[in-house]
Amino acid sequence: MTCPKRHIIALAPLLACVPDLDVDLARVDAPRVLAVRAEPAEVVPGEPVALSALYVDAGGTLVDGPLEWAFCAARRPLAELGPVNRACLAREGDALLSLGTGLAVTAPAPADACRLFGPEPPPATADQPAGRPVDPDITGGYYQPLRIFAGDDDADLTLFQLKITCGLAGADQQQSAEYRARARPNRAPAVVALERDGDALAPGVTATVAPGAELPLRLVWETCPEAPKCGDALCTLDEAADTCPADCGGPPGCGGAETYLRFDPTALQLVTSREAIRVAWYATGGRYTAARTGRAPDEPEAFSDNVWTAPDAPGDHTLWIVVRDDRGGADWRELPVRVE
C-alpha cells in the first residue's frame, strides 16, 4: 500500500499508512507536512489553541504554505474503518469548522469535543442509533480530529489529533476528584539541543560535511523527574501552587518524558505511567542510519542518536528532526547542511 502524498499525523496513538519496503520515510522530495505543533499540547474544550505546521519541500521549509485548516465534528461510525469519519477527509461540509489558512492558526477547541470524541454521552442523531462514548487511548487520552489540506490536490491531506482535557470514564466520584486534584495537562517535548560529536549546533547555523561523510547527530530534550520534587522549577504530577509555589508559578509540566496519571479501566484504579518519546528524522538528501528512533517509557535517557550520511555530490541540504511524546505533543529542530 503506497500513500505518496496523504499523511496521518495522529500523535496518540500514532497512525500512518503502511509504506512499500523501498520507500525512504526520511526523504523529503516533495511538499509535505512533517509535523503539527499545538500550544498548549493539551487543551480544554472551548479554550484557544495555537496550531503550527512544519510544511517543507525538497528545497527547504516553505515560507508561506497554502495550508487549509479545519476541525472535524463528525464521529466515526462503529461500522466504518479508518481513524476518522470520511466526512473529515472533505474540503467542505457541515462537519468541518474552518480555522483559516497559512502555516499557523489560532482558534478555540470545539466546546463539544468531549461529547463527540470523549467520555461524555454523545448527542443523538436522527439517522443513527444512540452512540456510545469514545474509548480512551492507551495513555487515557481523548483527541479532537483536525485536517489540513495543502494546495489544490485533494491527496495532499494531513490528519492530526489534538489532545483534549476530559473527565474519566468508569471512575467513581472519589477517583474523579483525586484525578482532578493530582493530574497535570500534557506539555509537549522541548528540544534542548541538537549536537554534533558532543558540541551543540546553534539553530540556523549551517553545518558542513564532506561528500559521502557521516554526520553523527544527537537530539536532546528536557529531562523530567520520575517523582515530583519541590524546588526543581517544574510543576509536575502531584504539585500545585499551594504546595510548591516556586515551581507552579508558570506553565505546568515538563518538556520531556513526563510521568502522568491515568485511569486503568481493567484494574479500575488510578495509576501513574511514563511517556515514550519518538523521534522522526527527515532530510532533502543523503540517508540516515534509521528513519525513526526514540526512547521507551522505561529508558531514562533524554536524548536520541542517529547518523546522517551525506550524498557523494556537493550541495546544500536541509535536515529536520521531529520529537513527539505519546500523548500528542511535538517539537522540532531544523539543520541546514552544506556538502563541500
Side-chain angles (χ1 to χ4, degrees):
M1 175 180 177
T2 302
C3 298
K5 292 187 177 181
R6 178 165 294 177
H7 317 291
I8 301 178
I9 305 177
L11 300 184
L14 184 65
L15 302 175
C17 295
V18 178
D20 293 334
L21 295 179
D22 60 349
V23 173
D24 185 355
L25 297 176
R27 177 64 62 86
V28 176
D29 52 13
R32 184 175 170 191
V33 175
L34 301 184
V36 176
R37 178 166 51 205
E39 299 180 89
E42 180 177 343
V43 63
V44 175
E47 295 190 356
V49 58
L51 300 161
S52 57
L54 178 60
Y55 181 43
V56 304
D57 66 5
T61 302
L62 298 183
V63 177
D64 187 13
L67 303 180
E68 300 177 13
W69 302 71
F71 283 127
C72 181
R75 288 167 51 90
R76 181 177 64 83
L78 295 177
E80 186 174 295
L81 299 177
V84 296
N85 191 306
R86 293 180 184 272
C88 300
L89 309 181
R91 282 190 176 271
E92 299 178 350
D94 295 339
L96 297 171
L97 175 62
S98 177
L99 306 180
T101 60
L103 289 179
V105 296
T106 299
D112 58 355
C114 289
R115 291 190 67 194
L116 294 173
F117 307 106
E120 300 177 12
T125 57
D127 58 342
Q128 293 185 12
R132 58 181 296 274
V134 174
D135 294 325
D137 74 340
I138 59 174
T139 71
Y142 300 95
Y143 302 87
Q144 163 67 51
L146 178 146
R147 73 105 178 96
I148 307 170
F149 271 114
D152 298 327
D153 189 345
D154 287 349
D156 284 337
L157 168 68
T158 297
L159 295 177
F160 173 73
Q161 294 195 47
L162 173 66
K163 192 172 193 298
I164 51 178
T165 299
C166 297
L168 298 179
D172 60 31
Q173 187 174 5
Q174 181 178 353
Q175 290 169 326
S176 295
E178 180 183 351
Y179 180 82
R180 289 192 298 269
R182 298 178 58 197
R184 296 293 173 263
N186 184 36
R187 184 172 173 179
V191 175
V192 173
L194 180 62
E195 299 177 351
R196 173 184 186 176
D197 291 327
D199 296 325
L201 295 165
V205 175
T206 301
T208 58
V209 63
E214 293 185 345
L215 177 62
L217 296 171
R218 169 172 288 185
L219 188 75
V220 183
W221 52 87
E222 289 187 8
T223 300
C224 298
E226 294 189 23
K229 180 181 179 181
C230 284
D232 62 1
L234 296 172
C235 187
T236 55
L237 179 69
D238 290 327
E239 292 183 287
D242 58 343
T243 58
C244 294
D247 291 354
C248 296
C254 172
E258 296 179 286
T259 298
Y260 62 93
L261 192 66
R262 66 179 179 88
F263 181 72
D264 187 328
T266 302
L268 297 180
Q269 61 183 11
L270 294 173
V271 298
T272 57
S273 298
R274 191 168 181 268
E275 290 177 331
I277 299 293
R278 301 180 178 92
V279 183
W281 305 77
Y282 302 96
T284 57
R287 66 183 185 277
Y288 288 103
T289 300
R292 303 289 185 266
T293 62
R295 294 291 179 184
D298 59 352
E299 294 182 282
E301 296 84 1
F303 62 86
S304 187
D305 296 330
N306 207 346
V307 176
W308 181 74
T309 302
D312 293 331
D316 292 329
H317 295 276
T318 305
L319 279 56
W320 299 274
I321 303 96
V322 179
V323 58
R324 296 184 176 96
D325 63 37
D326 54 4
R327 293 196 293 157
D331 194 17
W332 56 75
R333 179 65 63 88
E334 177 179 313
L335 176 65
V337 177
R338 178 160 296 164
V339 181
E340 63 179 12

